[in-house]
Amino acid sequence: MVCLLLLQEPTLYTVKAVFILDNDGNRLLSKYYDPELYPSMKEQRSFEKNIFNKTHKADNEIAFLEGMTIVYKGSIDLFFYVVGSAQENELMLMSVLNCLFDSLTHILRKNVERRCLLDNMEGVFLVVDEIIDGGVILESDPQQVLQKVNYRADENPLSEHSVAQHITEKLALTSNVLQSAKEQIKWSILK
Amino acid sequence: MIKKFDKKDEESGSGSNPFQHLEKSAVLQEARLFNETPINPRKCLHILTKIIYLLNQGEHFGTTEATEAFFAMTRLFQSNDQTLRRMCYLTIKEMANISEDVIIVTSSLTKDMTGKEDVYRGPAIRALCRITDTTMLQAIERYMKQAIVDKVPSVSSSALVSSLHMVKMSYDVVKRWVNEAQEAASSDNIMVQYHALGLLYHLRKNDRLAVTKMLNKFTKSGLKSPFAYCMLIRIASKLLDETEGGHDSPLFDFIESCLRNKNEMVVYEAASAIVHMPNCTARELAPAVSVLQLFCSSPKAALRYAAVRTLNKVAMKHPSAVTACNLDLENLITDSNRSIATLAITTLLKTGSESSVDRLMKQISSFVSEISDEFKVVVVQAISALCQKYPRKHSVMMNFLSNMLRDDGGFDYKRAIVDCIISIIEENPESKETGLAHLCEFIEDCEHTVLATKILHLLGKEGPRTPQPSKYIRFIFNRVVLESEAVRAAAVSALAKFGAQNDDLLPSVLVLMQRCMMDSDDEVRDRATFYMNVLQQKQKALNAAYIFNGLSVSIPGLEKSLHQYTLDPSEKPFDMKSVPLATTPISEQKSDITPMATSKIQDKLTPSRQDIYQEQLAAITEFQSLGPLFKSSDQVQLTEAETEYVVRCIKHTFARHMVFQFDCTNTLNDQLLQKVMVQMEPSESYEVIQYIPAATLAYSQPGSSYTLVRLPDDDPTAVSCTFSCTMKYLVKDCDPNTGEPDDDGYDDEYVLEDLEVTVADHIQKVLKSNFAAAWEEVGDEFEKEETFALASVRTLDEAVGNIISFLGMQPCERSDKVPENKNSHVLFLAGVFRGGHDVLVRARLALADGVTMQVTVRSGEETVVDVILASVG
């Protein structure tokens, strides 16, 4: 087995899988690039579940599970994972993860949370597609990725319709905040 | 449009997933919107997103519905909305395998790929290559070549990466793009460089010369991309490994120079490459170890992990090289990332001194429950290594292991612990009882059949010889009551061993056996009935043969012989002695501890080396009358390593003959050898009967020639003989390039080194797990004893090693290990002599000035005893 490790074929196929889970471990996006690794949906789901259970409690950045090196990052209610083989250069995987995270941070205007991500799902699909192509790292510089994807979370803020929408949403948000503040005060008094 | 999901959200609260309740049929229904004019980009975009999301969630699309949606989607190419177009590319890629006739979009994609909009071109190429097959690839070949050398980096990268994906499918076409890839490799863009290098290597990897040239070029030119550097390092270390290049090679210098690169990724890759090189000296390792040491204090967890993981690997082979990092590793023990902490501790366990063991063990037990199974296995392996190093610490370790055994864990983890405990028991007799007690407790609640049977087997072997064998009976019989068939059967076998060895337990064992005979499983019943009958005879010899030591024949061999026997019915009963013996592994292979390797490789029952030879020899008509193959020796080199011809010999022993198999390799590319045979001149009364030459021996293609020799019948004690060997052959010169030989040739010969046949060639190793029982079984009818003085030997260890290798017999009861600081030792050896006679040797050794040895030999055949004693003398 030692020999197998040593004679590993140099290759560009670095990333085995990439996935984004929410804080219940549900899959929001996942791509498997190695057809031999977890070919069925059932295996993929159980792999993701296992990884999630072992990683979501502590933000440790890196783990070794089921014979794979996994680098990960959490943000509010989201978890981002990049999976590589046991022999892979951990820093390469890290650069992919960082690029993914930074690009999404920009697209989502720093609101890297589940709701916002789902509202901009098409942008997320495009970003992942620009970073990894079939397991090969296509780009690792977030600036380049953003330039290539050329996606804006808010569509044309100048159009009347959308401004109106924007305002209503902001208002809704404020009233939400007020509502929750009221609730909180109520609860603290009741206690 | 921003509030596109709001309606649903109102129903299920603001935190919900807008895609959660998507119905495939509803989405496909919505996809009809694609046909509306004018196209509403926003709505269509949202529908495409839903489709991709569903595919991503693993929703199954039927071919018809997928094709329908796909065709509707093609209409969206009319819209000029950028994001919509990009999502179309994604849909094409996702649906390439589900929908039919995806090639319909070829022309649209080709248009985008060659169009003016740079944003479209890269993704269009990647989508196009996804749906292209070998025949269509020719049609777009021109565009691909242009795209590879395009000045827009994203276009060039996309083309290169897509080409790489297509190498698997259409190597011959992609191979023609080598020049373009070469040009792209000198691009200023770092990703293009990387992708071009990857493609070039992939196209050239079978041509070592081309790879070397490529490496030379790029290592000198200096690339900008750190990824490309990592790739170069990997290629260079692979080439070094294949060519067995020394560490003074320029490739090694290149890798070492990368240790000083600005980028951490490159530095780590280089350090890791050096660490993984075979035969690295401590001095060569030092610079790599010192950069890893620096990484240990990095704020980045991934870098610390990478560093400590690699140091852990170094520590396996060169613990002293890592000692310098002990301080840094100590700091990592408290790392919040438990994987890092575990690796740090296990590394320290390998490099640290005996005094630090207790402290480290305490630290590790504080968080062992928090780490993953993979790392628990690493910990167990480290402990196992430690027990061998510091046997005195076994009580601490045993305690720790038994605690781990009680915790939850998967099969691999439990197996590692059980193996570790078993190895401790075998190494330290004083730990036997505690170890067995822990294992007994473990099988009380063990869900893994393999482990339970393994432990039961061990209990049967070791239990009866402990001071209080009766206490194990309860544990074993509990298995009979509670477990699955396989475990019950193993438990019955274990019980039988107690009954056979402990007379006072025999009546109770017989009662228990009787109960087992009522078992619902036939294997369990059969075993119980068999053992019952054997035990009731109360004969030591029967017990030894059928309960302790079992079959020593090779299972595939037995299968074949039985099959042969049924094909050809005869009056004669089947003779066990005609079955080839199982070859016991010469030394137990201690697999390197590679926790990082995926353990997916399954253990298959492969036929042993000897079974393979048996098959090969049986295929040669001249050897078919020789009977079963008794023993095959290891390869003996008959030439120096770097000569024109390389000849190795394997000695095959049969009941009355020997066959010498000469594996010859011709290392001259301008010669073709024909009719190659090895002429042998025996020194004793051995008689060469026949030569079977190898017909031709082309350059670097090994061939075998055989020589058949009859062993002397009249003098059975003549077991050793020296042969002088000469290889004779017909040489034909040939063209080194084409291999076309000349018509005429000339005879030539080549003198080989002498070949020795020794007593070891006539004895097959057989492991008797209970030597005392076997000793009684053979009896003292032909026992002989003699005393020798081994003047030239200084230690008991050396004497034991010499005797074992000289006689070629199997040491039993772990008697090949001489306890430290002892002046006397008893060595037990077991084997089978040619012709199927068991032979046992007991050698009492005493250390005075030299070593004095008293040898007692027992066998069922007098001549065998004489042969052994004569050859020792």
Side-chain angles (χ1 to χ4, degrees), chain A residues 27 31 66 86 114 129, chain B residues 15 56 93-94 165 309 374:
Chain A
R27 161 195 289 202
K31 298 285 267 173
E66 301 197 15
R114 181 166 172 272
D129 180 62
Chain B
N56 208 270
K93 287 202 271 190
E94 293 288 336
H165 295 325
R309 193 183 75 145
E374 277 86 350

Side-chain angles (χ1 to χ4, degrees), chain B residues 48 97 294 318 335 352 375 383 503 600 604 620 646 750 803 821:
Chain B
L48 279 185
N97 290 335
L294 275 181
H318 305 275
D335 200 293
F375 281 105
I383 293 174
D503 289 336
K600 278 184 181 164
K604 269 188 264 167
I620 299 168
V646 179
Y750 190 81
I803 300 166
N821 307 324

